[in-house]
Amino acid sequence: MSAPISFPLGEQTTAIHAGETPDPVSGASAPNIVMSTTFVTDADAGFSVEGMEENENWIYTRWGNPTVHQLEVKLAALEQAETAVAFASGMGAISALLLHTLKAGEHAVISDVAYAALAEMTNEMIPQLNIAITKVDTSSLEAIEQAIRPNTRLIYIETPCNPLLRLTDIAAVGQIARAAGARLAVDSTFATPLATRPLQLGADFVIHSLTKYLGGHGDALGGVILGKTADLAPLRKKTAIRLGGVLSPFNAWLIMRGLATFPLRMRAHADNARQVAQFLEGHPQVKQVIYPGRPSHPQYELARRQMKNASGMLTFQVADGPAQARKFAEKLQIIHYAVSLGHHRSLIFYLNSQDLLASSFKFDTPAQLASWRAFAGDGIFRLSVGLEDADDLIRDLEQALA
Ligand SMILES: *Cc1c(COP(=O)(O)O)cnc(C)c1O
């Protein structure tokens, strides 16, 4: 069998090898998928997860599974985190984090623009548990500071945020959180660990939807929370194991397979997105392009400081969004008119401001609405630039804009 690795590894080697070793029984080089829900134990095994040490023995797949564990080790290595806990989806991870970190009578400060399901959950469900939520534009440090209360226990940000691609300064918010005695959680799905390592900038928890860039192929839902073992061991017991939203070993295997090429893919996504953004900026029908890798991004300096890779997400506006959306859905030949993002296939979707402001995003101040309008106007196309040839993507957009 292979010898243990004795030297520090680069990102691409980590993506391929972390968490994996040849199978000790068969010598298989690729990981096995262990689908078994239960494991034969000795007579001393306990029946409660209480008292269970992390991965001491495999007992029941909701408590822990060898294939899911391999994925968790690989993700922790890529994020340089102590521990990872995988979930059935990004929302599974997010709901677990909120339920674990917040109790009745406490307060959280949350990005006023974030993934729609999180926005909707924190508009209704979480406040019904007697947990107070304040939504602020987290790109404004003053807005966050003003929202802090004596019982604030969590600051939750998303950077770049979905769908605006507006950024938040993680290191600065980390300082505010520490001074307030609150934890900082960062949804880093759009940035990925290749661009940004929030834990090194002062965050306590990092969340990814594995459905997006980390899995990368649009065929497996998954989510993960990363952070310190002291935080995540109790979180695993209380949420993954007891609430039950755990990842299927089959999905873990697919996501692990996708991760082998993750750094290569991210470089190609960013390369393609830069070319497509440049094309769109020069197109007479396009009013505004937002891409963190272009100097036209309103927070380009922060993007350069905080993102080593500008990722593959961009937004743009045209004069009549709804009409162009119908044209794209009919005329695009390569790019799929579909939700989701981070896949090898390019995906585009129109987000109408009026609809989103009615369903998901609640703004308390005129400044919040002004910030939304500066990034999104009346509506934006969110384009997840895939791994096709950039020239083909540009040709496809050109013919469908005409
Ligand atoms: C997609 C997404 C989620 C939710 O992930 P699912 O896997 O779809 O549950 C959360 N945050 C961001 C930023 C996302 O893009």
Side-chain angles (χ1 to χ4, degrees), residues 33-36 61 65 67-68 247-254 256:
I33 311 180
V34 179
M35 288 301 288
S36 189
T61 277
N65 169 281
T67 309
V68 176
L247 186 66
S248 149
F250 185 63
N251 276 18
W253 188 87
L254 282 171
M256 208 157 27

Side-chain angles (χ1 to χ4, degrees), residues 88-92 94 115 156 158 160 162 187 189-190 207 209-212 221-223 340-341 382:
S89 67
M91 277 314 298
I94 290 168
Y115 188 69
Y156 185 105
E158 198 176 290
N162 188 357
D187 182 336
T189 298
F190 274 38
I207 290 165
S209 167
L210 302 174
T211 318
K212 313 296 170 52
L221 288 172
S340 203
L341 56 106
R382 184 184 69 187

Side-chain angles (χ1 to χ4, degrees), residues 233-258:
L235 181 147
R236 185 192 296 280
K237 284 184 189 170
K238 285 190 190 146
T239 64
I241 298 177
R242 294 201 177 119
L243 298 179
V246 295
L247 186 66
S248 149
F250 185 63
N251 276 18
W253 188 87
L254 282 171
I255 293 163
M256 208 157 27
R257 188 191 221 270

Side-chain angles (χ1 to χ4, degrees), residues 133-173:
I133 302 288
T134 307
K135 305 260 182 115
V136 300
D137 170 1
T138 57
S139 71
S140 161
L141 300 175
E142 299 78 51
I144 297 177
E145 271 170 338
Q146 281 166 16
I148 299 284
R149 300 179 191 172
N151 61 342
T152 303
R153 292 291 168 269
L154 179 70
I155 302 178
Y156 185 105
I157 63 177
E158 198 176 290
T159 180
C161 78
N162 188 357
L164 295 185
L165 299 171
R166 193 173 64 193
L167 310 179
T168 294
D169 185 334
I170 299 169
V173 178

Side-chain angles (χ1 to χ4, degrees), residues 57-130:
N57 285 307
W58 306 115
I59 296 172
Y60 186 58
T61 277
R62 179 158 41 73
W63 299 9
N65 169 281
T67 309
V68 176
H69 179 66
Q70 284 186 309
L71 170 69
E72 289 174 342
V73 171
K74 194 185 285 292
L75 289 167
L78 285 167
E79 192 73 56
Q80 295 180 354
E82 283 181 19
T83 307
V85 181
F87 289 85
S89 67
M91 277 314 298
I94 290 168
S95 53
L97 182 99
L98 295 178
L99 291 173
H100 181 69
T101 53
L102 294 165
K103 293 198 300 285
E106 294 181 341
H107 172 247
V109 178
I110 298 195
S111 279
D112 63 359
V113 179
Y115 188 69
L118 163 75
E120 290 157 15
M121 185 185 179
T122 47
N123 284 343
E124 280 179 23
M125 238 179 95
I126 297 293
Q128 280 166 3
L129 301 174
N130 193 25

